[in-house]
Amino acid sequence: MRPAPAKLVLRGPREQDVQAVILAVLGQEQVGITNTKRGPQLRGTGLHISADGQVMIWRQNSGKPLGAGWNFRGAPRGTADIIGCAYGYPLALEVKREHSYQSPDQKIWQRHWEQAGGVYAVVRSPGEALAVVDELRRRRAAA
């Protein structure tokens, strides 16, 4: 009898996973979402809008390794992983895995985002991200 194959254990969500769950719960059509062994994941970093038109988010790459020590900078250092607007509020989500923390650049970016009136959250699971979006929905309904 063959031994069972080792299971891949992730220590936390990836930006694509968090965004895919937000979009699936909000009823966005499954365009751009691919089911993989790790679950639903986004293809690319395109713009996505919820079915009700109240949430628009995209995954923002702030840097990408190109090999041999070279990096391509897509946005300023510290930029949040997921950016957009939810129920009339500017939203930025920084996705962190277990035991990882914001860099100094990310803390500076957060401070400026919040000073400009945006909502910023560090999330460690899709559930935490959905709670932030749901809180913005409740704020909008109460206003």
Side-chain angles (χ1 to χ4, degrees):
M1 186 165 121
R2 292 180 143 177
K7 291 185 178 180
L8 176 65
V9 177
L10 298 176
R11 293 182 10 206
R14 297 181 337 161
E15 296 89 0
Q16 302 98 311
D17 302 332
V18 169
Q19 187 177 2
V21 170
I22 292 170
L23 295 170
V25 169
L26 293 174
Q28 190 248 5
E29 293 183 17
Q30 297 296 306
V31 174
I33 298 176
T34 302
N35 287 318
T36 68
K37 290 180 182 177
R38 293 182 182 171
Q41 294 182 359
L42 289 176
R43 291 183 304 227
T45 58
L47 175 67
H48 297 274
I49 301 172
S50 65
D52 66 2
Q54 297 295 307
V55 179
M56 178 178 80
I57 58 176
W58 64 92
R59 194 171 135 241
Q60 179 65 52
N61 287 326
S62 60
K64 181 177 181 181
L66 297 177
W70 293 85
N71 279 334
F72 167 76
R73 181 99 3 233
R77 287 178 191 250
T79 301
D81 296 317
I82 298 173
I83 299 177
C85 187
Y87 301 100
Y89 296 92
L91 175 64
L93 299 174
E94 179 62 37
V95 180
K96 290 293 181 190
R97 294 183 178 186
E98 184 180 352
H99 304 300
S100 64
Y101 302 94
Q102 288 176 287
S103 70
D105 288 330
Q106 289 169 335
K107 290 178 181 181
I108 292 168
W109 197 93
Q110 175 184 359
R111 186 179 74 239
H112 290 296
W113 183 262
E114 290 174 336
Q115 285 175 347
V119 175
Y120 185 100
V122 175
V123 297
R124 297 185 184 283
S125 71
E128 287 181 13
L130 285 170
V132 172
V133 173
D134 195 47
E135 173 60 26
L136 297 178
R137 184 191 54 76
R138 283 194 297 271
R139 282 189 204 174
R140 176 67 175 232

